[in-house]
Amino acid sequence: MTLGKNSTLLVAITGGLIVAVILIIGMIWMGRSASQSTVKAVRSVSLLYLNELAGRRKQVVEDTLNNNIATIKVATNLMEEDDLKNLEHLQAFQTRMKKLFKLEKFAFVDTKGLIYTSLGMQTDIDKYEFNHKTISGPEISIKNVKNEDRKAVIAVPVDIPFNGERFTTCFMEMDMHEMLAGVSMTSQDENVTFNNIYSAEGYALSNLVLGGNATEYNLFEAMNHAEFDKGYSLEKMMQDFTERENGVVSFTYEGQEETLCYIPIAGTDWMLTYLIQENVIRDKIIGVNKKLIRDSAMLSILNALVLLGIFMYIMGQNKENTRLLLAKETSEAELRGKQAELGERIVLQEKLIQQSHALSDALTAAEEANKAKTIFLSNMSHEIRTPMNAIIGLDNIALNDPEATPKIKDYLTKIRDSAHHLLDLINDILDMSRIESGRMTLKNEEFSFSDLIKNINTLFSGQSQEKGVDYQCHINGHIDDYYIGDNMKLRQVLINILGNAVKFTPSGGKVDVEVERIACLDDKSTLRFMIKDTGIGMSKDFLPHIFDAFAQEDSSTTNKYGSSGLGLAITKNIVELMNGNIQVESEKGKGTTFIVTVTLMNSKLSKTEDEDIKINPQEMSVLIVDDDEIAGQHAKLVLENIGIASDFVNSGKEAIEMVKLRQARRLPYNLILVDWKMPEIDGVETARQIRAIVGNDSAIIILTAYRWDDVLEDALKAGIDSFLAKPLFASAFMEELQGALKKKRSMSKNNVQKADLKGRRILLAEDVEINAEIMVMVLETREMEVDLAKNGKIAVEMFESHPEGYYDAILMDMRMPEMDGLTATRTIRAMNRADSKEIPIIALTANAFDEDVQRSMQAGLNAHLSKPVEPDALYETLESLIKA
């Protein structure tokens, strides 16, 4: 037995050592193979890296040269007639240009080769490479290319008369290092890569030759001492420099393995180069590989020891498993006796689980069925409303067509009445769906109770008169003009009950309404509405079922009077949601009495305080946003019929742009009607972005055929003031508009703080003297202090020269010499100071087109006032934009 144990241990140790040796040898072989691959990889990566770096740096150098060419052109364009009056004026102009653009020399050459500089005239034209007689486009060259004091020369052709002669060339001269000051030409990656610019003859223009490793001043002379790799030669490199071809060359110089990539710079005979020292990179990678081999060897030894330990553990576990197997067989005999009892318990438990699952499934199915019904009713409501919206809209448009005959108008009127009846049925079904799903919600808003009663009386007195029914409404005792609650829901309750009263009362009958306040406590009032009619009445047996959904005492009444059977069920639920009570008394053939009691919160608003909310249609401006062309045109027509002008756009994106333009002109819309379901940007997101632009200046109402309960919370957060169901009707629109404007007025009173203009310091940029004088007088009328800048450039300098917060606002004319208003605004907004981003900048301009306003907004202006500017409009704009 001992011999067997020793043999097993020996086999385990030997096997572990063999595995370790195999792993170590394998890692060493892989490391050497990786080192050999490194050399090839370094070369490939170097070429890719150099090409990428050279291409980017070439673009930067070319952009710098093009900017300098543009500088000369800008300088010559700034020359005026007075600058060519005589030599003294010319030299003064050249001195200004040198100072403005930081040039060493800014000169002109005439047809005889005479050079005119700010310090005098020169005759050394032969020192420059450009030909002043034949130059036809911008030329870039180097002066003193073989000396350290080399200069970059950029020349452009001109045709300028001066003192009987003509200038044919304008050129600038600056130190090569100064010209490349904005271009990083320093070494990269810890002196592994170097970039330089060489002339076609190989002279270095920026840095030392070969990154400072060479003592020669010429690249080609230095490369004479290099050993080129196979496939590369100095002759090929020199040929590429001469023919301005891209290229790469690998070589060894002073023991360093290097690769040089070169690429021509457009518009010059220069070559931009990138040099990389490959051996530095390769040595680092080989060092990493060696460390990897050492770590791998240690890991292999550790793996062998772990394998040995696992092998010994498995042998021990085998012995333990044998012992446990015997114990298991012994215990199994004892367990068999209990299996029968456990089996019976399991069967009983499974039956209980199945019953529980069946009950759970039934409950889930019921919940899903109820949810599916709600979704179905909501979807059907929308699907029916959408074509109904088109039908009513087109019907309304057609009714207003002057060419429609009386017969056609009669047909259209019947279509409209039928559509409205169908719409009422849909509304009842949708309300019942909301109630059953628990999603019916109440608003708590201030509303005019007197207007509510007046509208109800107007509606039903007309219907009663047409039917020959006597309609009376009485107010008993004191009733306040305003209460806080859900105006629309209370209106719906009264319309449902009064609608039935008028419907079921024959000609010659009476309908009486009595309203009184029966209690007032803790800022709340309890109101009672008693509605009596002398109609057909109901039997006492049916009264307990009157508020059941779809309940009808006599099915023949449905056909005779038309009803969904949901009106009173909806009414009872609304009243209960309002913590109210509804009672009914009726006798067959003698009439019916409904008593509705609701509690509303008292309002401190009086009728006299609300008189300024009266809407003047001629002063209203409305924006309609709807992707449905028919719905949009219908809404536009409804508004036109009540005298309100409106704009119509098909998408949220267009609406946002329209609002930006109006806001910039300080002419915001009074109201914005937004469809909910639109592609790209829906109504809620459109409203959110518009509210961020207009603040509280405009009311926003969502117009939709859907249930707005689903987005109520998101809509309120987005700044929406109210909702309207499609299709749009004038009466409902005016009621919602009045409520929305009242809400806006309340918010404005609480939130808007106007700045006091007295003592404010204004920077005015205006080049026309008379306009400037007038504007200064307008501003000083309100005791503001004004600093005048005669153009945009001076305005920028004045703003920059004063401390932060010195100016409260800037009034910027758009068309000015030297620097226009848009450029000046962009320059100020780009400054690195806190007030440059926040100071209000207001455009004062005769450019009044939408494109002009858009350009102003894009440049960073806060408002766009068209000339002539009304003083009140200017004061109001300053008060709203300056921080209070």
Side-chain angles (χ1 to χ4, degrees):
M1 190 69 178
T2 304
L3 181 62
K5 288 183 178 180
N6 292 336
S7 298
T8 302
L9 181 60
L10 181 61
V11 169
I13 294 172
T14 303
L17 291 175
I18 291 172
V19 170
V21 170
I22 292 172
L23 289 173
I24 292 170
I25 293 173
M27 294 307 297
I28 293 172
W29 177 81
M30 289 175 63
R32 290 180 177 177
S33 176
S35 297
Q36 293 173 357
S37 300
T38 297
V39 177
K40 297 179 181 179
V42 167
R43 174 62 53 82
S44 299
V45 172
S46 296
L47 292 177
L48 291 173
Y49 186 60
L50 288 177
N51 284 330
E52 177 66 15
L53 289 178
R56 292 183 181 179
R57 189 62 59 195
K58 167 184 178 294
Q59 186 61 49
V60 174
V61 173
E62 288 178 355
D63 289 346
T64 300
L65 294 176
N66 288 332
N67 288 340
N68 285 317
I69 293 173
T71 295
I72 296 182
K73 294 180 178 179
V74 169
T76 55
N77 288 335
L78 292 175
M79 177 177 283
E80 297 179 352
E81 239 176 74
D82 188 64
D83 297 324
L84 296 169
K85 186 174 181 181
N86 52 43
L87 184 59
E88 182 180 352
H89 282 71
L90 175 64
Q91 290 178 338
F93 169 74
Q94 290 174 305
T95 300
R96 292 199 306 273
M97 294 302 102
K98 285 170 57 179
K99 183 178 179 181
L100 177 62
F101 297 111
K102 299 179 181 179
L103 305 176
E104 287 188 18
K105 180 180 289 186
F106 178 70
F108 292 91
V109 183
D110 65 13
T111 56
K112 297 177 181 179
L114 188 61
I115 301 174
Y116 291 75
T117 72
S118 62
L119 302 176
M121 289 181 278
Q122 299 175 195
T123 58
D124 57 344
I125 189 64
D126 56 333
K127 291 183 179 181
Y128 297 90
E129 292 185 12
F130 64 83
N131 189 325
H132 67 281
K133 296 180 180 180
T134 61
I135 187 170
S136 59
E139 291 186 11
I140 303 168
S141 58
I142 300 296
K143 180 182 177 183
N144 302 328
V145 69
K146 297 182 181 181
N147 300 331
E148 291 187 5
D149 185 29
R150 59 184 67 88
K151 308 291 184 182
V153 177
I154 301 177
V156 297
V158 296
D159 186 11
I160 302 174
F162 177 73
N163 285 353
E165 258 296 332
R166 301 195 74 81
F167 293 148
T168 63
T169 306
C170 176
F171 71 91
M172 59 182 280
E173 181 177 313
M174 60 192 302
D175 184 83
M176 189 69 186
H177 293 289
E178 178 68 22
M179 188 195 74
L180 296 175
V183 181
S184 177
M185 299 296 290
T186 57
S187 63
Q188 308 288 326
D189 306 320
E190 300 178 342
N191 292 328
V192 175
T193 62
F194 305 86
N195 64 313
N196 204 342
I197 298 176
Y198 294 92
S199 67
E201 295 81 17
Y203 289 98
L205 302 184
S206 58
N207 293 324
L208 298 175
V209 176
L210 295 182
N213 289 338
T215 57
E216 297 83 352
Y217 289 98
N218 187 283
L219 175 63
F220 299 146
E221 292 177 6
M223 295 296 280
N224 272 324
H225 305 294
E227 294 179 9
F228 289 82
D229 292 359
K230 185 178 180 180
Y232 303 102
S233 67
L234 177 59
E235 291 73 21
K236 179 64 169 64
M237 177 181 172
M238 294 176 68
Q239 182 182 352
D240 289 343
F241 268 58
T242 302
E243 296 177 357
R244 297 180 49 71
E245 294 287 338
N246 295 359
V248 66
V249 60
S250 293
F251 57 94
T252 302
Y253 185 88
E254 296 292 338
Q256 293 278 359
E257 295 180 8
E258 302 177 336
T259 295
L260 181 73
C261 175
Y262 46 90
I263 186 169
I265 298 175
T268 70
D269 63 348
W270 307 349
M271 298 293 279
L272 185 142
T273 67
Y274 251 91
L275 178 73
I276 186 167
Q277 294 182 347
E278 294 180 2
N279 59 321
V280 176
I281 299 175
R282 187 171 62 251
D283 290 346
K284 290 183 179 180
I285 296 176
I286 290 174
V288 172
N289 285 341
K290 288 180 179 179
K291 185 177 184 303
L292 180 63
I293 292 171
R294 288 195 301 270
D295 293 345
S296 299
M298 295 299 296
L299 183 61
S300 298
I301 294 172
L302 180 61
N303 286 337
L305 293 175
V306 170
L307 288 173
L308 178 61
I310 293 172
F311 183 77
M312 297 301 294
Y313 176 78
I314 291 173
M315 290 182 61
Q317 286 298 109
N318 284 338
K319 289 180 62 179
E320 182 66 15
N321 288 341
T322 302
R323 185 183 67 78
L324 292 175
L325 184 60
L326 292 174
K328 178 183 177 183
E329 289 175 354
T330 303
S331 62
E332 281 180 353
E334 298 175 359
L335 293 174
R336 289 191 190 97
K338 299 180 180 180
Q339 283 182 347
E341 182 182 353
L342 288 174
E344 292 176 0
R345 291 183 179 180
I346 290 170
V347 169
L348 179 61
Q349 186 177 4
E350 287 178 350
K351 288 182 178 179
L352 291 173
I353 292 173
Q354 288 175 356
Q355 292 177 357
S356 176
H357 286 169
L359 291 173
S360 177
D361 291 343
L363 179 60
T364 302
E367 291 174 348
E368 290 295 329
N370 189 52
K371 183 178 179 182
K373 182 191 72 172
T374 301
I375 294 172
F376 170 77
L377 290 175
S378 177
N379 290 340
M380 285 305 298
S381 170
H382 169 254
E383 293 302 323
I384 296 173
R385 276 177 179 270
T386 299
M388 285 299 299
N389 182 47
I391 292 170
I392 294 175
L394 290 172
D395 181 79
N396 196 9
I397 293 170
L399 273 172
N400 286 273
D401 187 349
E403 297 182 2
T405 64
K407 185 176 182 180
I408 295 297
K409 287 189 176 182
D410 181 54
Y411 293 155
L412 292 171
T413 301
K414 291 176 180 177
I415 292 173
R416 180 191 60 192
D417 294 342
S418 298
H420 287 176
H421 179 64
L422 179 57
L423 201 58
D424 290 339
L425 295 178
I426 295 168
N427 288 335
D428 285 346
I429 294 171
L430 187 58
D431 280 343
M432 204 64 204
S433 170
R434 288 175 179 161
I435 291 169
E436 290 183 351
S437 63
R439 304 185 72 175
M440 174 75 78
T441 57
L442 297 178
K443 299 178 183 177
N444 253 348
E445 296 179 342
E446 208 162 31
F447 70 94
S448 171
F449 186 78
S450 58
D451 286 348
L452 169 67
I453 298 300
K454 180 179 69 175
N455 293 337
I456 292 290
N457 289 339
T458 300
L459 176 65
F460 286 104
S461 61
Q463 291 183 13
S464 300
Q465 187 175 5
E466 290 177 2
K467 193 175 179 182
V469 174
D470 181 22
Y471 175 85
Q472 299 290 332
C473 178
H474 306 282
I475 305 293
N476 298 331
H478 174 72
I479 298 290
D480 292 337
D481 287 325
Y482 286 86
Y483 289 101
I484 298 174
D486 196 321
N487 174 34
M488 295 301 294
K489 292 291 188 296
L490 182 57
R491 183 175 185 271
Q492 186 176 354
V493 167
L494 296 176
I495 287 176
N496 279 346
I497 297 174
L498 281 168
N500 284 339
V502 174
K503 182 192 301 183
F504 294 113
T505 300
S507 177
K510 293 180 61 178
V511 174
D512 291 328
V513 181
E514 293 184 5
V515 185
E516 66 177 321
R517 182 168 67 181
I518 60 175
C520 182
L521 183 65
D522 295 334
D523 292 329
K524 294 181 180 178
S525 293
T526 301
L527 305 181
R528 181 174 65 191
F529 302 84
M530 183 177 294
I531 301 161
K532 300 179 180 179
D533 68 66
T534 59
I536 61 176
M538 292 170 283
S539 66
K540 295 191 180 297
D541 294 335
F542 179 70
L543 282 179
H545 307 287
I546 189 173
F547 296 115
D548 294 345
F550 307 110
Q552 296 282 351
E553 182 180 13
D554 183 356
S555 61
S556 63
T557 60
T558 302
N559 296 327
K560 182 177 179 181
Y561 296 101
S563 172
S564 65
L566 292 173
L568 289 178
I570 293 170
T571 299
K572 183 174 187 296
N573 279 279
I574 291 175
V575 171
E576 289 175 350
L577 278 174
M578 301 173 75
N579 295 319
N581 181 47
I582 184 170
Q583 299 175 349
V584 59
E585 300 173 359
S586 185
E587 187 175 345
K588 195 75 172 176
K590 294 187 177 181
T592 303
T593 300
F594 280 89
I595 302 173
V596 178
T597 305
V598 296
T599 299
L600 302 173
M601 295 177 63
N602 293 331
S603 169
K604 296 180 181 179
L605 189 66
S606 66
K607 193 68 178 177
T608 56
E609 292 174 338
D610 193 41
E611 287 178 353
D612 59 337
I613 301 181
K614 296 300 181 183
I615 298 170
N616 186 353
Q618 286 73 30
E619 297 176 358
M620 292 290 297
S621 61
V622 179
L623 176 63
I624 302 167
V625 190
D626 199 322
D627 62 309
D628 185 340
E629 185 76 24
I630 294 175
Q633 292 299 334
H634 168 65
K636 190 174 178 68
L637 181 61
V638 170
L639 297 184
E640 286 176 354
N641 287 340
I642 56 179
I644 295 178
S646 62
D647 295 328
F648 170 56
V649 294
N650 292 101
S651 68
K653 185 176 180 181
E654 291 180 78
I656 293 166
E657 290 303 316
M658 289 280 286
V659 169
K660 285 181 179 178
L661 291 175
R662 292 289 293 251
Q663 196 69 12
R665 296 178 186 273
R666 313 306 293 173
L667 297 170
Y669 288 106
N670 302 104
L671 172 68
I672 302 169
L673 285 175
V674 187
D675 183 35
W676 174 17
K677 289 291 185 180
M678 295 187 295
E680 296 184 13
I681 306 178
D682 65 17
V684 174
E685 180 58 29
T686 300
R688 181 180 289 108
Q689 295 189 35
I690 289 176
R691 183 60 74 200
I693 298 168
V694 303
N696 291 324
D697 288 347
S698 304
I700 304 177
I701 296 179
I702 283 286
L703 190 63
T704 178
Y706 289 81
R707 295 168 32 156
W708 55 71
D709 307 62
D710 299 330
V711 292
L712 181 61
E713 185 176 350
D714 289 341
L716 294 176
K717 288 179 181 178
I720 291 168
D721 298 296
S722 187
F723 297 86
L724 271 174
K726 285 186 176 181
L728 183 66
F729 296 105
S731 58
F733 167 75
M734 292 298 289
E735 189 171 343
E736 286 297 330
L737 174 59
Q738 194 166 30
L741 292 179
K742 187 192 304 179
K743 183 177 180 182
K744 291 291 101 181
R745 188 191 69 171
S746 175
M747 293 177 66
S748 298
K749 285 183 178 180
N750 296 332
N751 299 330
V752 175
Q753 293 183 343
K754 292 185 177 181
D756 183 7
L757 299 183
K758 182 178 179 181
R760 297 290 186 173
R761 189 175 285 105
I762 309 298
L763 175 58
L764 171 64
E766 172 64 71
D767 63 310
V768 179
E769 186 175 350
I770 185 63
N771 289 346
E773 291 177 2
I774 294 171
M775 191 55 61
V776 169
M777 287 190 292
V778 168
L779 295 171
E780 289 179 346
T781 300
R782 292 290 295 270
E783 299 184 50
M784 287 178 270
E785 299 177 13
V786 185
D787 290 348
L788 176 62
K790 293 187 177 180
N791 58 54
K793 184 174 180 292
I794 296 174
V796 171
E797 292 171 351
M798 291 177 67
F799 179 81
E800 191 172 20
S801 63
H802 288 89
E804 291 184 3
Y806 182 81
Y807 290 111
D808 294 293
I810 301 174
L811 301 181
M812 186 75 71
D813 186 30
M814 290 294 99
R815 293 190 177 183
M816 295 182 289
E818 294 200 49
M819 183 182 289
D820 60 36
L822 292 179
T823 305
T825 300
R826 293 191 189 97
T827 305
I828 291 173
R829 292 298 189 211
M831 289 182 182
N832 187 22
R833 48 188 281 174
D835 59 345
S836 68
K837 307 294 187 298
E838 298 177 358
I839 186 168
I841 306 179
I842 303 164
L844 303 179
T845 176
N847 302 336
F849 293 107
D850 288 348
E851 294 81 359
D852 301 313
V853 181
Q854 288 174 341
R855 281 194 288 270
S856 297
M857 297 300 98
Q858 292 165 2
L861 284 111
N862 300 92
H864 186 104
L865 300 181
S866 300
K867 292 180 179 180
V869 178
E870 292 291 336
D872 290 341
L874 177 59
Y875 298 149
E876 183 180 347
T877 302
L878 289 171
E879 286 172 342
S880 64
L881 293 180
I882 294 176
K883 290 185 178 179

